[in-house]
Amino acid sequence: MIKPITHDQTFLSQPSQPATAMDAATVTDLLDTLRANREICVGMAANMIGSHRRIIVVAMGVLPVAMINPVITDKADAYHTQEGCLSLTGERPTTRYRSITVTFENAQFQSQTQTFTGFVAQIIQHEIDHCDGILI
Ligand SMILES: CSCC[C@H](NC=O)C(=O)O
């Protein structure tokens, strides 16, 4: 189900809690909402649709990918950049890493570890920050 996007910064600043298989509907809603906003958005975290669960979705190729309880276990090659956010106006400076290794559960709640680079790595870092209540 496509959900409205929250702009409430107090809500967005609260850290999210681990997700479980009970949150499968939120995973589906987040994927639906990213697809509906794909022209203006490359990634989302569950708190952007009102759920404080550690779930993110990221545009990768044609289909958005869900990552549940993502944890960055390795990172390399820091750089400074500017980012926008669907929940905020304007762009702000951020520090990101060009390469990250992430352990997460997929949409079927199976655990996996994968290394990401470039723009996809940047989106994942932005969305994990959302899970920690950090806005750019
Ligand atoms: C480059 S990371 C930007 C991610 C942002 N999504 C909001 O959480 C967006 O503009 O889609």
Side-chain angles (χ1 to χ4, degrees):
M1 188 185 301
I2 299 167
K3 297 280 188 171
I5 293 167
T6 183
H7 300 272
D8 180 338
Q9 295 203 20
T10 302
F11 184 87
L12 292 170
S13 297
Q14 294 163 8
S16 294
Q17 302 303 312
T20 70
M22 302 280 284
D23 299 304
T26 301
V27 177
T28 304
D29 289 347
L30 199 54
L31 287 165
D32 288 348
T33 307
L34 178 61
R35 281 190 203 101
N37 288 281
R38 192 57 196 87
E39 286 181 10
I40 54 166
C41 187
V42 290
M44 296 184 70
N47 62 355
M48 296 171 71
I49 59 165
S51 169
H52 276 125
R53 295 292 175 191
R54 300 185 72 87
I55 303 165
I56 68 173
V57 290
V58 179
M60 277 187 224
V62 188
L63 297 173
V65 171
M67 303 173 79
I68 298 155
N69 299 318
V71 175
I72 295 173
T73 57
D74 203 6
K75 55 191 181 186
D77 207 356
Y79 65 103
H80 299 291
T81 186
Q82 298 265 337
E83 281 173 11
C85 179
L86 210 56
S87 293
L88 302 170
T89 51
E91 292 205 335
R92 301 182 191 188
T94 57
T95 301
R96 298 298 184 205
Y97 294 84
R98 290 188 204 285
S99 174
I100 56 171
T101 299
V102 187
T103 296
F104 61 98
E105 292 150 55
N106 63 19
Q108 288 72 47
F109 289 86
Q110 296 160 331
S111 182
Q112 54 191 88
T113 299
Q114 212 172 323
T115 296
F116 300 93
T117 58
F119 191 48
V120 169
Q122 182 182 359
I123 301 166
I124 293 169
Q125 290 167 84
H126 179 111
E127 305 310 338
I128 291 177
D129 275 356
H130 270 299
C131 294
D132 291 327
I134 297 168
L135 296 164
I136 48 168

